[in-house]
Amino acid sequence: MDQEIGDEMSAIGDKAPSPLETIVALASGAGSAAIAVIRISGGKTREVLDALCGGMPEPRRASLCEIGPPQCSLLDRGLVLWFPGPASFTGEDMAELHVHGSRPVVREIIEAVLSLAGTRLAEPGEFARRAFENGKLDLRQVEGLADLINAETRCQREQALLQTEGFARARYEAWRQSLLRAQALVEAELDFADEGDVGVGSALQAKAIVDALRGELDEPLRGWGERLRDGVRIVIAGPPNAGKSSLLNALARRDVAIVSEEAGTTRDVLEVHLDLGGVPVILTDTAGLREAEGKVEAEGIARALSQLDEADIVLWLVDATAPVWTPPRSANPRKSAQIPAMGRQIRVLNKIDLAQDASFVRDCIKISAKTGQGLDLLIDHLQREAANATEQGAGSPLMTRARHRVELEGARAALKRFGDPSLSPELRAEELRIAARHLGRLTGRIDVEEVLGAIFAEFCIGK
């Protein structure tokens, strides 16, 4: 919603939030449009439709209705959809009004809804939050929905759809069930050891389950799913005057950087966002690496080295007329353009149109950023590398947020501590509870009562 619409809606709906109130909001894009979608959810949705449409449409069927409050002028004619809860997106009674998208129509219909008691404007993300609280979505699906709305590339869309469709839920649910089984075994050994049907091998069984689960947690932690959401960082680096800025402009297909024959022209970091075969990419041009001739160039080189530290893929570019693959070293180590440890490195030989013979240079991609020669080959190679970096083709949901990685790493660390033979049974049981909380935070499902349920389902205790 743009600022103008947002200000209008804020002025209309200045009410204190209450989870019991029925909420309303513009669900489509702001500004003039052919169609606008106004969404309503909550216990008074039926009353709102009855008041504005003069009756209730058939559930889950688009009905053409005259929209306007009683004893007032007609506001618009549009399609009305009625979704009785709990079979709706939010799990509550819900409706959508598909009306003409002019600002007065949207504003006056929302004003009419808010004129009814027990209604208010929705808070940001409140429809999705109600869906989560009513068990319609887990946290990963909520995050996937946000990613789907903000997707800019094909691969981002595909991965977000996997999240929203709940494919990750099956994997995490299997992990949770394994952990519940291990917890049941450990807790039963602690609390019900005097029962004859609690086997003495419970601890060994729990350890076997935990060892297998640790191996399963390792697999997603090796991936770079966050890069699919945020963008694979590709840094163009190399000595001065190698054509780095020309390559940035050629790959971006527009003039982003100033190009000059004078060495050291680039003094700052320049970034462009690209779509490479459906993978989002952040392409960065950096200052040429050499012994700095002034404070400004020194700062540019320092920033270039910092970018190399964070790069997923480095395009190491050199001039085909003087193919030196390493930067010059200064006698003073503090002034030396030392190359830090880099991610995947692709060696690129530029300006082959000016070189008499570049055939003797091997293990590199040969291009001319000026003429375009070899650029298709380089782009194809970058697409493959970017896809590999984001594990495309794996066919399963990736960890696209840092939160996911933090929780999985926390669960894995707890499971590792569980395997410490020096820990008492009580502390080992606590490590399993910690691991369960980390996994529960991934989907928002944290229920300690499930542990007791698993215990009583596994053993005939208290019969």
Side-chain angles (χ1 to χ4, degrees):
M1 183 177 292
D2 62 20
Q3 186 64 44
E4 183 177 346
I5 289 285
D7 292 343
E8 289 174 354
M9 295 300 101
S10 297
I12 291 170
D14 188 14
K15 297 184 179 182
S18 167
L20 300 178
E21 290 176 319
T22 295
I23 56 176
V24 59
L26 176 65
S28 54
S32 299
I35 300 295
V37 178
I38 298 172
R39 180 176 278 180
I40 306 164
S41 181
K44 292 187 176 294
T45 303
R46 183 186 293 269
E47 297 177 26
V48 170
L49 292 182
D50 193 49
L52 265 65
C53 305
M56 295 300 299
E58 184 178 343
R60 295 175 186 81
R61 183 169 182 173
S63 302
L64 181 62
C65 298
E66 294 186 346
I67 301 172
Q71 301 176 345
C72 291
S73 60
L74 177 69
L75 297 180
D76 196 12
R77 290 184 178 86
L79 295 179
V80 177
L81 292 97
W82 157 237
F83 305 97
S88 68
F89 171 71
T90 60
E92 305 172 326
D93 285 350
M94 184 173 160
E96 288 183 357
L97 309 180
H98 294 224
V99 298
H100 294 99
S102 71
R103 295 174 186 270
V105 167
V106 172
R107 182 180 62 252
E108 291 176 25
I109 289 177
I110 291 181
E111 284 179 342
V113 174
L114 294 175
S115 69
L116 303 173
T119 63
R120 63 171 172 84
L121 278 177
E123 299 291 323
E126 190 169 3
F127 288 93
R129 177 153 189 165
R130 290 191 178 195
F132 166 71
E133 291 173 345
N134 291 323
K136 293 295 182 177
L137 299 173
D138 63 29
L139 283 183
R140 281 292 296 263
Q141 288 176 298
V142 171
E143 290 169 330
L145 181 61
D147 290 344
L148 183 60
I149 292 171
N150 295 316
E152 296 180 345
T153 70
R154 173 181 55 81
C155 290
Q156 286 178 323
R157 172 187 60 78
E158 292 173 350
Q159 186 59 215
L161 276 174
L162 285 176
Q163 308 284 2
T164 58
E165 292 297 321
F167 286 98
R169 179 187 293 180
R171 169 190 274 186
Y172 293 154
E173 187 61 27
W175 291 345
R176 290 182 66 256
Q177 291 303 320
S178 295
L179 198 51
L180 284 171
R181 165 75 171 142
Q183 284 183 274
L185 291 166
V186 173
E187 299 283 357
E189 187 177 41
L190 283 172
D191 299 333
F192 307 106
D194 56 337
E195 296 289 336
D197 51 5
V198 179
V200 294
S202 294
L204 292 177
Q205 294 178 49
K207 184 179 184 303
I209 292 172
V210 168
D211 288 344
L213 185 56
R214 282 178 58 188
E216 292 182 32
L217 293 184
D218 285 341
E219 185 268 326
L221 287 172
R222 288 192 292 266
W224 286 5
E226 299 101 314
R227 291 296 186 250
L228 184 57
R229 181 173 179 268
D230 301 329
V232 177
R233 301 195 69 87
I234 300 179
V235 174
I236 306 173
N241 213 23
K244 297 184 292 298
S245 297
S246 296
L247 179 57
L248 178 78
N249 291 342
L251 293 175
R253 300 175 188 266
R254 58 190 175 91
D255 290 336
V256 178
I258 297 174
V259 176
S260 170
E261 295 181 359
E262 179 184 348
T265 301
T266 301
R267 301 295 181 90
D268 206 346
V269 172
L270 298 177
E271 290 185 349
V272 293
H273 292 252
L274 303 178
D275 179 345
L276 284 182
V279 177
V281 163
I282 303 171
L283 184 64
T284 304
D285 180 25
T286 59
L289 298 182
R290 67 176 181 180
E291 184 177 344
E293 296 182 356
K295 290 183 179 180
V296 175
E297 186 178 6
E299 177 61 25
I301 290 174
R303 295 185 182 188
L305 295 175
S306 176
Q307 290 295 316
L308 288 177
D309 272 331
E310 300 175 2
D312 300 316
I313 301 172
V314 174
L315 293 182
W316 191 254
L317 195 71
V318 300
D319 187 339
T321 62
V324 178
W325 294 103
T326 57
R329 307 272 178 175
S330 169
N332 183 346
R334 298 186 64 180
K335 293 184 178 180
S336 180
Q338 302 287 342
I339 305 175
M342 295 184 285
R344 293 176 171 91
Q345 186 177 354
I346 302 173
R347 302 206 313 172
V348 181
L349 189 69
N350 189 27
K351 303 184 182 180
I352 59 173
D353 55 313
L354 302 179
Q356 292 184 351
D357 182 13
S359 61
F360 68 93
V361 184
R362 301 183 181 277
D363 300 323
C364 64
I365 298 176
K366 301 170 184 178
I367 68 164
S368 169
K370 182 178 180 179
T371 68
Q373 185 178 353
L375 282 181
D376 289 343
L377 178 63
L378 176 60
I379 291 172
D380 288 343
H381 191 80
L382 284 176
Q383 287 177 346
R384 290 193 299 271
E385 289 292 328
N388 289 336
T390 55
E391 292 188 344
Q392 288 307 299
S396 61
L398 304 174
M399 291 190 306
T400 55
R401 293 173 182 253
R403 183 186 76 84
H404 306 160
R405 182 174 294 276
V406 167
E407 300 298 349
L408 278 187
E409 287 177 343
R412 186 178 63 171
L415 295 180
K416 183 178 180 180
R417 293 191 298 268
F418 170 86
D420 185 350
S422 67
L423 288 184
S424 66
E426 290 81 6
L427 289 178
R428 295 172 73 238
E430 179 60 23
E431 294 299 347
L432 290 184
R433 285 191 284 270
I434 291 172
R437 285 197 291 272
H438 281 294
L439 289 184
R441 290 190 189 107
L442 283 170
T443 59
R445 294 187 57 183
I446 305 174
D447 187 358
V448 295
E449 292 299 316
E450 286 186 344
V451 178
L452 290 177
I455 291 174
F456 290 114
E458 184 69 23
F459 306 105
C460 299
I461 297 172
K463 59 184 179 181

